[in-house]
Amino acid sequence: MFYRSADISRYMKLNSNLLYGLYIGVAMAFTALATACEHDSYDTGDGSLSYLRCDFADAHSDAQCHVDAFLTDEGTRIVPASTVGARWISTPDSVYRVQVYYDCQTFAVKQLSRVLTLLPVSPDKVKTPKTDPLNIESSWRSTNNKYINLCLAIKAGTTTADEAAVQSVTLVSNGIQQQADGRTTARFNLYHDQAGVPQYYTVRQYASLPLAEVGAADSVSITVNTYAGLRTLTLSTKP
């Protein structure tokens, strides 16, 4: 279920206040197969993937650092058929942001991937900002209005030159800007350090910004250097 850098070329390190040394994981092999628990009249029967569902969720770890429950962005609490472990689940009685594939009849977990939690830092914490390009393929506010979610597309590749090289991303806060209509926007820069990792192919990784980090701001803007130049995303924080 979980793979080291030899299988996906590199793992990335997230420079946030909480998350370090995270593995990118597999490039979502089941994405095209994600489906809800429903059937149309043309279905021919139950296959191995008939009840496979994908959700973004907050996962709770038990005393043994195994996930014993999920709270999905739809507000559904899921207790898996059996507890699930992963090398990055290292703190008991804690909450991890995840993407989970599971059978929605048996609640057996088929795949569990960590979603990167972007905790903003102040500009003075970043001595030499790295603006190596990456792409943001999609962005949206979660159904429960707790997160801004991003799908990052990052170039990666294997090399024997520096096996210790890891990429990093950092979300830097640029304060609150007031608009002419009185509304406020929390402004951020998303910095990326390629760290010399070759750019042979694209790895997709999901990341979430907790809206609790932006306070009462009416919207969020995130500026990032992409392969097509600077891009600023602006999303409402309100339902």
Side-chain angles (χ1 to χ4, degrees), residues 2 29-30 40 70 72 74 77 82 90 103 108 116 118 121 127-128 152 166 181 220 223 233 237:
F2 302 98
F30 292 129
D40 295 315
F70 300 93
T72 75
E74 304 292 331
R77 185 175 185 271
S82 59
S90 57
D103 186 308
L116 309 177
L118 298 175
V121 299
K127 305 220 179 270
T128 307
L152 307 178
V166 293
D181 59 4
V220 167
T223 299
L233 303 170
T237 63

Side-chain angles (χ1 to χ4, degrees), residues 135-140 149-153 206-207 231 233 235:
N135 287 330
I136 298 180
E137 292 194 341
S138 59
S139 58
W140 70 97
N149 296 314
L150 306 174
C151 179
L152 307 178
Y206 290 100
R231 178 186 178 191
L233 303 170
L235 298 97

